[in-house]
Amino acid sequence: MKLKRFISMVAFTCVGALALSACGGADADDGQVTLSFTWWGSDTRHQATEEIIELFEEENPGITIEPSYSDWDSYWDQLATQTAGGTPPDIIQMDDNYLREYSQRGALLELTDVDVSALDEESVENGRTENEGLVGITTGVNAMVMMANPDIFEEAGLELPDDTTWTWEDYREITTQISDDVEGVYGATGPAAPADLQIWLRQQGKHLTTQDSELGFEVRDAEEYLEHLYHLMESGGYPSASVIAEDQTPGPDESMTGSNEVAMGMWWTNQLPAISGASGTETVPLRMPSHSGSAEENGMWYKSTMLLSVSSQTEHPEEAQQFIDFMVNSEETGLLNGTDRGLPSNPEVRDAVFDQLEGPDLTASEFIEEIEPEIAAQPIEPVPAMGFSAMQEILQRYELQVFFGDLSPAEAAERMVAEMEQELEAP
């Protein structure tokens, strides 16, 4: 069942004292406040978060945090089930793809008590919707980049491209040459939906969805993009359709990028340590290619790595916001998180974290700061519309139909746009 239709079954306000007691955490007889906190992530994130919880509880002896975590896929099913059942966690690790879907149905609290005065303005706006206000606090930022394996480039006799000037045509030539010259290796893996299409559209002054929650592009835009992908596979720069299909779901460790089977792959900057660790090489983040060859027109943007939200059903809104404030404004918390939740959105915390970074974490963080002037020259990416969480599945499905030759780019574009528009209009 699609998430927003699942959530729409729920009445997000509890009526009466008996119903209210079933929503959110409850006070123990001794006045102790208990809050539930859920997140997704790796074992490293779980360990760091549990240490953060211990630190918070030491400084706030009247509050207990009950942790719950899972992998990405099961996380959203579980959260939807809890929300539909009227038992959501008090504190929720949120992704911007789902922010509107929860907030516009009344599931999230407006975070008026979290101090965001020190946070980057763009980071704050990433968690704000027009009608509900500030419903998510950005923990940190990252960017979709092209991760390059320097060892494979060396084996192909190529230098890494100048990522401040390279174009999509350069990208296709490089990937094709590597596929031809290095045995058992492809130039690049397939696209990373939906960020792949978002970047392509941003390079043309458009968006996947607009600030008014409408589709931000036309059939012709989609057709040109799908033709671009098909030509990459047809030229040999991308693997065959069946190989692309297999590489769409694995995490960094199991991916073709992490297994040294491709020279380049699209990943978020906070995934650089995992990619480098899995591949055994010092993976290099590169700016995305562009149509014009200008870094200021490469379509990249700072994405909230994740956000923190509070359930509108919580019995303890003040304490829940107190915990979020601690997560984003405490230097001690920042040092425990490192860059796992993105480069901290609080500049003071970011400075403290920078002093402790080394290796791939430092490389990713320095890259994020290096591209800041280029990011500032480009439009802010709108908060994803309701229905956005389905965009990835729709886009990947039609991309694969083009790769497999089931549909032409023109046919796929027509159907894809219609399906996306229907998804955005669905109640």
Side-chain angles (χ1 to χ4, degrees), residues 88-139:
D90 296 284
I91 305 163
I92 304 165
Q93 184 170 284
M94 179 60 61
D95 185 80
D96 59 3
N97 287 355
Y98 294 88
L99 190 67
R100 282 190 193 268
E101 295 191 14
Y102 277 88
S103 66
Q104 290 189 4
R105 297 186 184 279
L108 302 180
L109 182 76
E110 185 174 6
L111 305 175
T112 56
D113 293 339
V114 179
D115 182 8
V116 296
S117 60
L119 272 60
D120 294 335
E121 181 179 355
E122 184 174 342
S123 296
V124 176
E125 292 306 308
N126 284 346
R128 191 187 304 279
T129 60
E130 294 79 15
N131 298 322
E132 295 75 32
L134 186 62
V135 291
I137 304 297
T138 297
T139 61

Side-chain angles (χ1 to χ4, degrees), residues 82-340:
Q82 291 171 323
T83 305
T87 58
D90 296 284
I91 305 163
I92 304 165
Q93 184 170 284
M94 179 60 61
D95 185 80
D96 59 3
N97 287 355
Y98 294 88
L99 190 67
R100 282 190 193 268
E101 295 191 14
Y102 277 88
S103 66
Q104 290 189 4
R105 297 186 184 279
L108 302 180
L109 182 76
E110 185 174 6
L111 305 175
T112 56
D113 293 339
V114 179
D115 182 8
V116 296
S117 60
L119 272 60
D120 294 335
E121 181 179 355
E122 184 174 342
S123 296
V124 176
E125 292 306 308
N126 284 346
R128 191 187 304 279
T129 60
E130 294 79 15
N131 298 322
E132 295 75 32
L134 186 62
V135 291
I137 304 297
T138 297
T139 61
V141 296
N142 60 9
M144 177 59 70
V145 299
M146 195 70 71
M147 299 289 190
N149 187 316
D151 294 343
I152 294 177
F153 270 82
E154 183 178 356
E155 188 174 353
L158 295 173
E159 294 184 358
L160 292 176
D162 179 353
D163 65 345
T164 63
T165 61
W166 70 330
T167 65
W168 287 112
E169 183 60 33
D170 295 329
Y171 175 68
R172 186 166 68 176
E173 291 177 1
I174 292 169
T175 55
T176 302
Q177 183 175 343
I178 290 174
S179 295
D180 289 343
D181 294 349
V182 184
E183 185 177 355
V185 171
Y186 296 100
T189 187
D196 56 329
L197 180 56
Q198 286 177 276
I199 287 173
W200 179 270
L201 292 171
R202 285 174 59 83
Q203 292 181 359
Q204 302 173 68
K206 301 181 180 182
H207 299 281
L208 186 51
T209 59
T210 69
Q211 195 66 43
D212 296 326
S213 297
E214 297 177 349
L215 205 64
F217 64 99
E218 300 174 352
V219 172
R220 181 57 189 164
D221 301 313
E223 182 181 349
E224 289 177 353
Y225 182 62
L226 293 172
E227 286 176 345
H228 158 74
L229 295 183
Y230 185 75
H231 290 156
L232 280 165
M233 185 191 71
E234 199 175 37
S235 67
Y238 274 3
S240 64
S242 59
V243 175
I244 291 175
E246 291 177 2
D247 195 46
Q248 286 194 319
T249 55
D253 293 350
E254 299 82 21
S255 69
M256 295 181 73
T257 316
S259 302
N260 298 315
E261 297 174 75
V262 294
M264 290 182 284
M266 293 177 63
W267 296 90
W268 297 105
T269 46
N270 68 309
Q271 295 173 309
L272 177 61
I275 292 291
S276 294
S279 65
T281 188
E282 294 183 5
T283 309
V284 178
L286 300 175
R287 295 167 175 81
M288 297 299 297
S290 67
H291 297 287
S292 66
S294 168
E296 287 75 19
E297 297 176 355
N298 61 25
M300 295 171 64
W301 82 99
Y302 283 156
K303 179 187 182 297
S304 295
T305 310
M306 59 201 65
L307 305 101
L308 294 173
S309 297
V310 173
S311 168
S312 60
Q313 300 184 50
T314 183
E315 291 185 6
H316 306 290
E318 181 179 343
E319 290 83 357
Q321 292 181 81
Q322 184 178 344
F323 179 74
I324 292 180
D325 194 292
F326 181 77
M327 282 283 286
V328 297
N329 290 319
S330 165
E331 288 189 11
E332 292 174 293
T333 297
L335 292 174
L336 288 170
N337 267 323
T339 60
D340 182 70

